[in-house]
Amino acid sequence: MDLLGSDALEGETLRPARVVESMRYAALAGGKRLRPFLVVESARLFGASGQGVFRAAAAMEFVHCYSLVHDDLPAMDDDELRRGQPTTHRKFDEATAILAGDALLTYAFDVLADEPTSADPAVRVELVKVLARAAGLGGMVGGQFLDLEAEGRFADTGRPLDLTDTEILRLQAMKTGALLLASVEMGAILGGADAGQRAALATYGRTLGQAFQIADDLLDEEADAAVVGKATGKDAAKGKGTLVRLWGKEAARARLAQLVSEADAALAGFGERAEVLRAAAHFVANRDR
Amino acid sequence: MDLLGSDALEGETLRPARVVESMRYAALAGGKRLRPFLVVESARLFGASGQGVFRAAAAMEFVHCYSLVHDDLPAMDDDELRRGQPTTHRKFDEATAILAGDALLTYAFDVLADEPTSADPAVRVELVKVLARAAGLGGMVGGQFLDLEAEGRFADTGRPLDLTDTEILRLQAMKTGALLLASVEMGAILGGADAGQRAALATYGRTLGQAFQIADDLLDEEADAAVVGKATGKDAAKGKGTLVRLWGKEAARARLAQLVSEADAALAGFGERAEVLRAAAHFVANRDR
């Protein structure tokens, strides 16, 4: 099954080749696939797998990729490189990138709401709700607004803000944490987790999200663009407040190690089945790209 | 109930004021409210009304308004005026307009998927599916791609296309028709319509969509920007193919009258309850803005 293949995307209406081509370019050009991995592995804790889990994982990745396409636009971060390749608006043009992002976001909800995702409409609608919340103004999009505001990017609101660490944590919990948390929550929904299991997974997801962001900020400070596959040193260039810049690298690394322990601990109740998710927390903290 | 009010939009996470302000600006600055009207009136045919219908109607309008915000962007139609007011990217800036559109689209699915829309998850997920299909690559976004392609706006694909009337009809059925059709379908879903009733309403919706577009193209040829509230004469300036330009104004007006009769006929089975929807078809065909 290929949700971005011609079988899935061609119907009775005309689909301009450019839509499909740009959506595929934006969504299939590589990347770590961390979010779909989290959906799949969280569902697997409860023995759930198969088409429904795959579809939910794909929908999550579509939303992540749409956000990257829009984030990279000239009016936003104005990035030319993503995963070592030209960003979507550089490969095509701005109009195509805007619409490809819109199409990916919309298609994600189509995929979740459609019958093959689950025979139970209550499961499907819960998946839609969790994803819409995480991607919306109280989550990712709200975090992107805050981020631009913090960078002083809005002409009418002025210069960069000096955020406290509490404010940075809140911004990051929205901008990048919300989708990571939603990924494990969607796995829990597909797996029929009980309230305690869902809460434990949510703790794991939130902790992982913080670790991911600190690792990302460390990479931005230290790494080589050729290895990371996107521009680095951007935070410092913008005078952007990150925990790494606020605390220093050593303290940030110590906090990162602590978060990995907390993520481990949150999974204690799942025993050996959670080994892959534990390894993921270590991977996220120690990745070089 | 105000779905774009501070009660609805403020939660435990920080919501930057700019998100809410730009979403309200984009969605509440006037307009005909044709799509939510169609949701409400279609539901009313079956005696359905109240909070669920209102929420579905609002979600539909959010999707329509997001599409206008993105369509107006410099990289797309580059419009400065919408409903007689500065477009969202002129009032704020491009980054805000991109994100406000993203937020409105995402929020629409959040509103539909949430419990107050219907106690029945099967109804909620069906509403999500119908809206996602209509707004996605086989509907509105696909139509926007085709429209830009037809205008020769993609640098790498070249000059404007000479579309046949069949191709124009297909493009318009996607770009503007799909949401109008989805509006009556959502009303039918909320009202618990049977298959025959749903098919009759769909015929009405499709016919209304065609009438709407011909009336729009006539307005673009004939009307005064000050009355319409947005730039006019744009199609001719772009060398854009419309049915009006292909057939001539008189033949287009004749087809418009025929479509109104067909819309009337599609509602025959609903008797007097459908009087408002019949009047809507006449309004759409004869509007001056």
Side-chain angles (χ1 to χ4, degrees):
Chain A
M1 182 177 54
D2 176 1
L3 287 170
L4 289 176
S6 56
D7 285 358
L9 293 184
E10 277 168 23
E12 66 274 25
T13 56
L14 190 68
R15 311 280 164 99
R18 195 182 188 89
V19 189
V20 176
E21 199 192 336
S22 60
M23 288 171 75
R24 290 180 64 91
Y25 185 82
L28 302 178
K32 292 177 289 293
R33 310 291 188 220
L34 176 60
R35 292 156 196 81
F37 165 87
L38 291 172
V39 175
V40 169
E41 289 301 326
S42 301
R44 203 199 298 275
L45 288 182
F46 310 96
S49 64
Q51 184 180 213
V53 173
F54 174 83
R55 292 173 64 92
M60 171 55 77
E61 184 70 4
F62 296 160
V63 169
H64 173 57
C65 292
Y66 120 78
S67 79
L68 299 181
V69 172
H70 282 190
D71 252 4
D72 287 339
L73 286 167
M76 308 270 283
D77 284 354
D78 195 14
D79 275 312
E80 302 190 359
L81 201 61
R82 166 73 64 186
R83 298 164 175 166
Q85 301 291 326
T87 47
T88 304
H89 68 274
R90 299 281 296 182
K91 174 76 176 177
F92 297 88
D93 54 41
E94 277 187 63
T96 301
I98 293 166
L99 289 176
D102 292 345
L104 282 169
L105 174 60
T106 308
Y107 189 47
F109 293 110
D110 184 345
V111 166
L112 290 182
D114 208 9
E115 281 81 359
T117 299
S118 168
D120 182 353
V123 166
R124 282 183 272 140
V125 84
E126 180 80 359
L127 293 171
V128 169
K129 200 166 85 174
V130 164
L131 186 55
R133 286 278 157 89
L137 72 161
M140 188 175 67
V141 167
Q144 287 169 318
F145 263 103
L146 287 174
D147 203 33
L148 291 173
E149 202 161 58
E151 288 178 10
R153 290 282 304 278
F154 297 127
D156 54 335
T157 55
R159 62 194 176 67
L161 306 176
D162 285 323
L163 300 185
T164 64
D165 51 2
T166 307
E167 288 168 332
I168 292 172
L169 280 167
R170 192 192 262 176
L171 186 161
Q172 294 178 342
M174 292 167 68
K175 190 182 177 192
T176 56
L179 278 200
L180 294 168
L181 174 57
S183 299
V184 300
E185 289 191 320
M186 286 167 71
I189 292 163
L190 288 156
D194 67 31
Q197 292 167 323
R198 196 163 156 172
L201 265 176
T203 299
Y204 168 81
R206 266 187 289 267
T207 312
L208 186 82
Q210 288 184 33
F212 180 89
Q213 191 61 53
I214 292 176
D216 212 54
D217 293 341
L218 281 166
L219 277 177
D220 187 76
E221 293 280 330
E222 297 178 339
D224 182 344
V227 175
V228 180
K230 61 182 179 183
T232 56
K234 294 194 306 176
D235 296 343
K238 290 179 196 162
K240 182 172 178 176
T242 69
L243 296 176
V244 173
R245 292 167 58 76
L246 215 59
W247 294 344
K249 290 182 198 171
E250 285 318 303
R253 278 199 206 92
R255 175 63 184 147
L256 190 51
Q258 191 188 357
L259 287 165
V260 172
S261 298
E262 288 175 22
D264 267 359
L267 297 173
F270 297 105
E272 295 212 346
R273 288 171 300 160
E275 202 45 57
V276 181
L277 287 177
R278 272 187 210 99
H282 290 267
F283 163 76
V284 158
N286 300 302
R287 67 204 167 91
D288 64 358
R289 64 193 69 195
Chain B
M1 184 176 54
D2 176 1
L3 286 171
L4 289 175
S6 55
D7 285 358
L9 295 184
E10 277 168 22
E12 67 273 25
T13 55
L14 191 66
R15 311 282 164 98
R18 194 182 189 88
V19 189
V20 177
E21 200 193 335
S22 59
M23 288 170 75
R24 290 181 62 91
Y25 185 80
L28 303 178
K32 291 177 288 292
R33 308 291 188 223
L34 175 60
R35 291 155 197 81
F37 165 87
L38 291 173
V39 175
V40 169
E41 289 302 324
S42 301
R44 203 199 299 276
L45 289 182
F46 310 96
S49 63
Q51 185 181 213
V53 174
F54 174 81
R55 293 172 65 91
M60 172 54 78
E61 184 70 3
F62 296 160
V63 170
H64 172 58
C65 291
Y66 120 77
S67 78
L68 299 181
V69 171
H70 282 191
D71 251 5
D72 287 339
L73 285 167
M76 308 270 285
D77 283 354
D78 196 15
D79 275 313
E80 301 191 359
L81 201 60
R82 167 72 66 185
R83 296 164 177 164
Q85 302 290 326
T87 47
T88 304
H89 68 274
R90 299 281 296 180
K91 173 76 177 179
F92 297 87
D93 54 42
E94 277 186 62
T96 301
I98 294 166
L99 289 175
D102 292 346
L104 281 169
L105 174 59
T106 309
Y107 189 47
F109 293 110
D110 184 346
V111 166
L112 290 182
D114 208 9
E115 281 80 0
T117 299
S118 169
D120 183 353
V123 166
R124 282 183 273 139
V125 85
E126 180 80 0
L127 293 171
V128 169
K129 201 166 82 173
V130 164
L131 186 55
R133 288 278 157 90
L137 71 163
M140 187 175 67
V141 167
Q144 286 169 319
F145 263 102
L146 286 175
D147 203 32
L148 292 174
E149 203 160 57
E151 288 178 10
R153 290 283 303 279
F154 297 126
D156 53 335
T157 56
R159 62 194 175 67
L161 306 176
D162 285 323
L163 300 185
T164 64
D165 52 3
T166 307
E167 289 169 332
I168 293 172
L169 280 167
R170 192 192 260 176
L171 187 160
Q172 293 178 342
M174 291 167 69
K175 190 182 179 192
T176 56
L179 277 200
L180 294 168
L181 173 57
S183 298
V184 299
E185 288 190 321
M186 287 167 71
I189 293 163
L190 288 157
D194 65 32
Q197 292 168 323
R198 199 164 154 171
L201 265 176
T203 299
Y204 168 81
R206 267 188 288 269
T207 312
L208 187 82
Q210 289 184 33
F212 180 88
Q213 192 60 56
I214 292 176
D216 214 51
D217 293 341
L218 280 166
L219 278 176
D220 186 77
E221 293 280 331
E222 297 178 338
D224 181 345
V227 174
V228 180
K230 63 182 178 183
T232 56
K234 295 195 302 174
D235 296 342
K238 290 179 198 162
K240 181 171 179 175
T242 70
L243 296 178
V244 173
R245 292 167 58 77
L246 216 59
W247 294 344
K249 289 183 198 173
E250 285 318 305
R253 277 199 207 92
R255 175 66 183 146
L256 190 51
Q258 191 188 356
L259 287 165
V260 173
S261 297
E262 288 174 23
D264 267 358
L267 297 173
F270 297 105
E272 294 214 345
R273 287 171 302 160
E275 201 45 58
V276 181
L277 287 178
R278 273 187 208 99
H282 289 268
F283 163 76
V284 157
N286 300 302
R287 66 205 169 90
D288 65 358
R289 66 190 68 196

